[in-house]
Amino acid sequence: MSSYEYMDLFFSLIQVSLGRRDRLPLTPSRSQWADMFDAAVRQSLIGVCGSGVERLPEEQRPPRDMAVKWAFFVNSIEERNRWMNVKCGEITELMAADGFSSCILKGQGMAALYPNPLRRQSGDIDLLCWPKDAGPEDCGMKEVVAYVRLHDRKGQVVYHHAEMHTAFCRAADGRVYFIPTGGVDDIEIEVHYRPSWFYSPLRNRCFQRWALRHRSEMRFAQDGGFFFPQPSYNALYILVHIYRHLFDEGIGLRQLLDYYYVLQEIRHDAVAAESLRMMLRQLGMMKFARAVMYVLREVFGMEETDMPVEVDVREGRFLLSEIIQAGNFGQYDERSQVRHGESLIARFARRQKRVSRFLIHYPEETVCAPLWTLWQRMWRRKNGYIVSK
C-alpha cells in the first residue's frame, strides 16, 4: 500500500469519527488496521478515532484483539480527561483565591467543543493568567512569574509563559491547597501571561495588543468549574498556536482538529469571520490560514462554505506533508531529533536549519526567527530566567 493510499484510508476513518462518512471506502486488512492505529498514535487521535471504530459497520471493524487494544487506550484517555477536568477546576479556584483571573488555553477548553470531550487526548495544562487588578495594557508578567517561582523555584521562564511543576488538591475543608510534589497529583502547568508570540516584532506587537484587548472573552465550563476562551477568540488564537508550533516543533492533526471544531462554532457568525480575516491580514497569516483550510477539507471533510477564507491547494499540500512527517508536536520528525550531548550552538543551528524550510512560504517569520531566538536568550539571561533543572 502506498503512503498516499494509507493516509487516505486513515483520513476516511477520521471522517467516520466526525460523522461525515458512514463507512470506509474499503475493508482494511490487519496490516492496514495496524498502520491506522500507528497513525492515530502519531497524531494523538486514538480517542477520536476510537469513536470512528465504534461507528463502523461490523464487517469493517478491526480484528477483535486490535479492537480490544484500541478500547483500552480510549478508556485510559477518558480517565485522564476526567482527572484533568478536576485539576483545571482546582487550579482555577486556587488562582482566583490568590488574586488572579485565569482561563484554560487549548487542552480541556478545546475538549469542551468536541461532541465527546473525554475522547480528546490531553497534555499538560496551559493557563492564561493575569492579576485581577492588572491594567488594560498590563499582561501581568512580573506578578505571574513571582507567583510561579514561589511554588517552583526551578520553573523555566520564557517570553510568553512560566513553567510550574506542582501538585494541589482539595482538602477536607473544601478549599484547594498546594501540596508537596512527588505524588500522583503532580502536573506540569504552563502559566501564560501572553497567549503566544510572533518572531516578527511588528506582527508580535499587533498580536499582543489584540490579546490584551480580548483576554476577558471567556466562558465558564459548568461541569468542569473552569473558564476557557470564546470561539471568536480561539478562531485567531488557535490558528496562531498552530502557526507557532509549525516553526518551533511541528504540528499534528490533533491541533488541526481543534481548529475544525472552533470553526464549527463560528461558521454562521459573519461578524466573527470578518474580524478573523482582518486580523489575519494584519498578522500576515492569510497564506497560512488558506493552507489550513486545505487540510481541514482533505482530512476532516469540512465544507468550504463553512470556512472563513478560501483554500490554497499548493500551500495546503506542503503543510499536510509537514504534519504527516512530524506527528503530534513534531515528536516523530526524524529531521528535528535532539542529538545526544548537543551543544547550545549545535541546537541553535539545527533549529534554524529546520525553520529555513519555510522561507519561501512564510519569509517574514523565517527571517526574523534567528534574531528573535538570540534576543530571547539574552533577555532570559539578563533577567535571571535561565535555571538548571
Side-chain angles (χ1 to χ4, degrees):
M1 177 180 251
S2 71
S3 60
Y4 176 81
E5 291 171 332
Y6 147 62
M7 291 309 297
D8 186 59
L9 190 57
F10 177 56
F11 297 163
S12 295
L13 177 62
I14 293 174
Q15 292 175 28
V16 171
S17 305
L18 304 183
R20 290 192 172 272
R21 299 176 67 115
D22 295 325
R23 59 189 295 121
L24 300 174
L26 55 86
T27 298
S29 65
R30 170 178 282 274
S31 64
Q32 290 169 344
W33 270 116
D35 287 341
M36 286 194 286
F37 182 86
D38 289 343
V41 170
R42 289 167 63 93
Q43 301 296 337
S44 290
L45 290 178
I46 282 288
V48 171
C49 288
S51 297
V53 170
E54 294 168 357
R55 290 193 178 107
L56 285 174
E58 189 67 35
E59 67 274 12
Q60 286 198 328
R61 292 184 182 180
R64 178 172 174 77
D65 60 324
M66 298 185 71
V68 170
K69 179 181 177 181
W70 210 309
F72 174 80
F73 275 80
V74 169
N75 183 68
S76 298
I77 290 166
E78 291 178 341
E79 286 301 312
R80 176 166 173 80
N81 274 317
R82 292 186 182 95
W83 182 78
M84 288 288 286
N85 285 339
V86 171
K87 291 299 160 185
C88 285
E90 289 178 349
I91 191 63
T92 297
E93 183 178 330
L94 189 54
M95 297 297 285
D98 290 337
F100 293 92
S101 297
S102 67
C103 69
I104 301 296
L105 295 174
K106 304 171 290 181
Q108 305 312 105
M110 279 291 96
L113 304 182
Y114 282 53
N116 188 340
L118 296 179
R119 295 284 173 97
R120 182 191 182 274
Q121 284 179 249
S122 60
D124 56 11
I125 292 178
D126 288 82
L127 192 73
L128 181 61
C129 185
W130 64 96
K132 291 180 179 179
D133 58 357
E137 298 183 359
D138 179 14
C139 70
M141 175 182 172
K142 183 183 298 185
E143 294 85 352
V144 172
V145 169
Y147 184 84
V148 168
R149 291 208 151 173
L150 178 65
H151 299 289
D152 185 355
R153 293 183 179 180
K154 292 187 176 182
Q156 296 286 348
V157 178
V158 294
Y159 175 75
H160 65 302
H161 73 250
E163 297 176 0
M164 183 166 61
H165 182 86
T166 187
F168 45 88
C169 68
R170 191 175 301 280
D173 62 3
R175 294 179 60 189
V176 180
Y177 296 92
F178 283 106
I179 58 177
T181 58
V184 295
D185 281 324
D186 284 12
I187 194 166
E188 290 284 345
I189 303 176
E190 291 185 359
V191 187
H192 290 247
Y193 22 87
R194 299 180 178 101
S196 190
W197 81 98
F198 282 74
Y199 289 140
S200 165
L202 175 65
R203 309 300 184 182
N204 188 54
R205 187 179 303 113
C206 178
F207 178 70
Q208 300 309 330
R209 288 175 177 171
W210 175 89
L212 285 173
R213 287 198 308 269
H214 296 275
R215 69 180 172 187
S216 61
E217 293 180 6
M218 51 189 177
R219 62 189 190 188
F220 190 69
Q222 296 292 342
D223 296 332
F226 56 86
F227 293 93
F228 61 95
Q230 295 278 9
S232 57
Y233 181 101
N234 276 332
L236 180 64
Y237 165 64
I238 294 299
L239 195 62
V240 170
H241 172 68
I242 295 170
Y243 190 51
R244 181 77 283 120
H245 275 287
L246 176 67
F247 283 88
D248 289 348
E249 300 169 301
I251 54 174
L253 289 177
R254 185 189 67 178
Q255 288 72 46
L256 274 295
L257 183 55
D258 285 349
Y259 200 58
Y260 167 90
Y261 280 118
V262 169
L263 292 187
Q264 291 297 305
E265 292 283 311
I266 69 162
R267 67 184 188 276
H268 300 309
D269 189 338
V271 174
E274 180 54 38
S275 176
L276 173 61
R277 286 189 289 269
M278 180 186 71
M279 286 304 302
L280 291 175
R281 287 189 287 267
Q282 291 182 21
L283 295 173
M285 287 184 63
M286 191 61 80
K287 181 189 286 189
F288 178 71
R290 290 169 176 158
V292 168
M293 297 306 117
Y294 172 85
V295 177
L296 297 184
R297 185 187 73 183
E298 296 300 306
V299 177
F300 306 117
M302 188 172 184
E303 301 290 342
E304 292 189 34
T305 53
D306 292 337
M307 299 177 181
V309 300
E310 64 271 22
V311 168
D312 186 322
V313 175
R314 182 179 177 182
E315 289 297 325
R317 285 174 176 165
F318 169 76
L319 178 61
L320 184 55
S321 70
E322 285 291 319
I323 292 170
I324 293 172
Q325 289 188 69
N328 190 54
F329 288 136
Q331 296 175 53
Y332 302 91
D333 194 342
E334 296 180 358
R335 302 166 298 177
S336 305
Q337 295 301 313
V338 178
R339 278 66 169 176
H340 179 69
E342 186 177 54
S343 67
L344 283 175
I345 294 176
R347 182 186 181 192
F348 175 80
R350 174 178 54 79
R351 295 186 69 172
Q352 297 314 310
K353 180 180 179 181
R354 180 186 182 282
V355 170
S356 68
R357 297 203 300 267
F358 309 115
L359 180 60
I360 63 173
H361 302 276
Y362 315 113
E364 185 176 350
E365 279 292 280
T366 304
V367 169
C368 291
L371 299 176
W372 190 93
T373 303
L374 291 171
W375 169 82
Q376 168 79 168
R377 183 74 184 179
M378 292 186 292
W379 175 81
R380 292 179 67 208
R381 183 175 295 277
K382 177 183 176 181
N383 290 281
Y385 293 151
I386 298 178
V387 297
S388 58
K389 288 289 187 181

